[in-house]
Every structure is written in C-alpha cells, then in structure tokens.
C-alpha cells in the first residue's frame, strides 16, 4: 500500500518541479544505502524540505519515511497521504511512541528522515541538533546519513508567503558519507559530529549555488553572516 500511495505522490512532485523549471543539483546520493536501515538527517529551511530530502534517495531506489508533527496527519488532505506513505506522526507531548515507531521501522530496513533542528531555521543557519537521530541510529545499529539543502527557502519558508509562480529557481542538495553511531558512545558527541558534517555540506551547497540575489530587495534568503538580510539567530530568538 505504501508504494501505491508514495510513488504517485513522487510523480506529482516531479511534475510540479518540471512545470516550475526548478534546477535541482544533487550530489552524493550514492552514500544512501540501497538496502537496510539508515537515518537520513538534513537541515531545515523550508516547508518543502521533506520532498527534496526524499528525492535525494530516489537514485538509490529508496523511499524515505519521515517523522513529522502529528497535526499534518490530522489534516483532511495531507493526513491520508502521510499515513499511506507510512510516515511517522510525532506528538511532542508524547514523543516516545513516535520514537519506538521509528526504531521498529529502522530495524525492518527502512530509511527514516529526520530534521534534528525540529523546526525551520528562519536565519537559514544551522540551529542546535536534538539527539534523537543519533539515539535512533545507535539503538537500531544503522548509520546516520548527513545531507544539506539550499535554495528551498526561496520557494516556501516560515514567515514568507509561498509563491509557486517563481520559476527557474535552483535547489542544491548535497549528501555526505555515513556517520557511524556506535552504541558505546555518548549520543551528544555523535550529534556534534553529525552537526559538523551537515554544516560542511551546507557550506558546500551554498558555494555551489549558481545564482546570487538580483538586487537589494532579493537578499532576504541569504544569511546575515553571508551578507544577506535574513534575521540573525539572535534576532529570531528575540522575536520568538
């Protein structure tokens, strides 16, 4: 049933991206294992990140099951789709159930997608990582696969209206080598290594990004430390 639902959704997404003429540049998909469980870990800058993260696994013929907030599963349209694709609802008040669900899926050979920042980064820089991804990998005995997305924030992000009339927008995806998660190591130390690797991949994606802001009014999607007008992490925290 999962594939009966999942593959048409992928097809619809690819059709939409073709209509928008998105320029998707993916490198490193070969690091995603063709068989067996893995935790795919990405930065989070857009409401569409789960789609692009999933696309990175397609060359390896893998489908990614994402952990997502339970409100998405309660929506009358997205809910049946999310359940049909075997994604995992997360109730933040009772996260243990989602954790066990993800653990069972990993042990069954699935790839689980996790955004360890938990929420979209409005500064477009990496926030601190929660340790859940590392703990899942440790318990299931599977690798962590780091990756980074850049450009997705230009399509639809927090605090900005979605605008699918934009076209020709590049999206850069970089997938890195597996990060091992030994059971005898501290999850916090593994998480720090994982975050460092995602940061390296993010910087590589930013360097490879083929366009720059058109003018002074188009710098909102560039982090402040790179000369853009996105809010700094401190400004986001103060506003929140």
């Amino acid at each position: 049933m999962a594939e009966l639902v999942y593959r048409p959704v992928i097809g619809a997404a690819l059709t939409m991206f073709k209509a928008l003429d998105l320029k998707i540049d993916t490198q490193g998909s070969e690091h995603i294992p063709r068989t067996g469980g893995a935790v795919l870990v990405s930065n989070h800058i857009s409401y569409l990140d789960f789609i692009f993260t999933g696309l990175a696994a397609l060359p390896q013929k893998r489908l990614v099951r994402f952990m997502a907030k339970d409100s998405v599963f309660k929506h009358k349209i997205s809910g049946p789709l999310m359940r049909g694709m075997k994604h995992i609802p997360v109730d933040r008040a009772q996260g243990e159930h989602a954790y066990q669900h993800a653990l069972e899926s990993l042990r069954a050979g699935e790839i689980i997608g996790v955004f360890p920042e938990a929420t979209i980064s409005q500064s477009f820089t990496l926030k601190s990582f929660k340790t859940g991804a590392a703990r899942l990998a440790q318990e299931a005995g599977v690798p962590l696969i780091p990756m980074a997305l850049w450009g997705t924030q230009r399509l639809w992000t927090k605090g900005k209206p979605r605008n699918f009339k934009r076209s020709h927008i590049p999206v850069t995806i970089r997938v890195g080598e597996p990060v091992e998660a030994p059971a005898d190591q501290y999850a916090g130390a593994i998480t720090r290594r994982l975050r460092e690797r995602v940061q390296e991949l993010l910087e590589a994606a930013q360097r490879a990004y083929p366009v720059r802001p058109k003018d002074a009014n188009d710098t909102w999607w560039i982090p402040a430390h790179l000369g853009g007008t996105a809010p700094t992490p401190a400004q986001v925290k103060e506003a929140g």
Side-chain angles (χ1 to χ4, degrees):
M1 175 60 73
E3 280 62 38
L4 290 176
V5 176
Y6 211 135
R7 296 198 184 281
V9 171
I10 291 172
L14 292 174
T15 298
M16 181 182 74
F17 295 160
K18 185 175 182 180
L20 291 171
D21 194 27
L22 300 186
K23 310 298 184 183
I24 303 174
D25 169 24
T26 304
Q27 291 185 14
S29 289
E30 68 274 10
H31 296 307
I32 298 172
R34 282 190 174 272
T35 60
V39 182
L40 188 57
V41 176
S42 176
N43 65 319
H44 198 11
I45 53 175
S46 164
Y47 290 114
L48 301 177
D49 287 342
F50 71 97
I51 299 177
F52 291 98
T53 302
L55 288 181
L58 289 184
Q60 297 295 85
K61 303 187 185 322
R62 299 303 302 271
L63 299 177
V64 182
R65 317 300 177 183
F66 288 94
M67 300 182 75
K69 59 184 180 180
D70 61 350
S71 60
V72 179
F73 291 78
K74 295 175 181 176
H75 190 276
K76 63 181 181 181
I77 296 176
S78 63
L81 292 175
M82 294 293 283
R83 289 189 292 273
M85 291 185 283
K86 292 174 63 177
H87 296 313
I88 300 171
V90 179
D91 181 348
R92 290 180 180 173
Q94 297 178 324
E96 185 61 26
H97 177 73
Y99 184 91
Q100 289 300 322
H101 187 167
L103 187 58
E104 291 170 7
S105 296
L106 287 168
R107 287 171 172 164
E110 298 277 13
I111 292 183
I112 299 298
V114 177
F115 298 106
E117 297 167 278
T119 58
I120 289 173
S121 170
Q122 292 179 271
S123 66
F124 309 132
T125 61
L126 278 191
K127 301 166 64 176
S128 61
F129 277 20
K130 298 185 180 301
T131 61
R135 290 187 291 109
L136 279 171
Q138 284 181 298
E139 283 200 59
V142 302
L144 294 151
I145 311 295
M147 66 173 290
L149 303 166
W150 192 247
T152 61
Q153 75 273 34
R154 298 178 66 197
L155 290 166
W156 188 16
T157 193
K158 193 171 183 178
K160 297 286 183 180
R162 66 178 181 267
N163 186 355
F164 295 149
K165 293 181 180 178
R166 298 188 181 101
S167 59
H168 317 295
I169 290 177
V171 171
T172 303
I173 304 172
R174 293 292 181 267
V175 184
E177 295 180 358
V179 174
E180 296 303 320
D184 61 350
Q185 290 189 11
Y186 177 50
I190 297 170
T191 300
R192 284 192 292 274
R193 290 201 303 273
L194 178 65
R195 187 182 182 280
E196 288 170 1
R197 189 65 183 117
V198 174
Q199 179 65 41
E200 292 171 359
L201 292 166
L202 177 58
E203 291 173 5
Q206 290 168 336
R207 288 193 299 270
Y209 201 67
V211 301
R212 296 294 180 265
K214 298 189 296 291
D215 51 42
N217 295 320
D218 189 40
T219 59
W220 63 268
W221 55 274
I222 301 292
H225 75 278
L226 294 180
T229 53
T232 66
Q235 289 171 331
V236 173
K237 185 176 181 180
E238 184 178 347

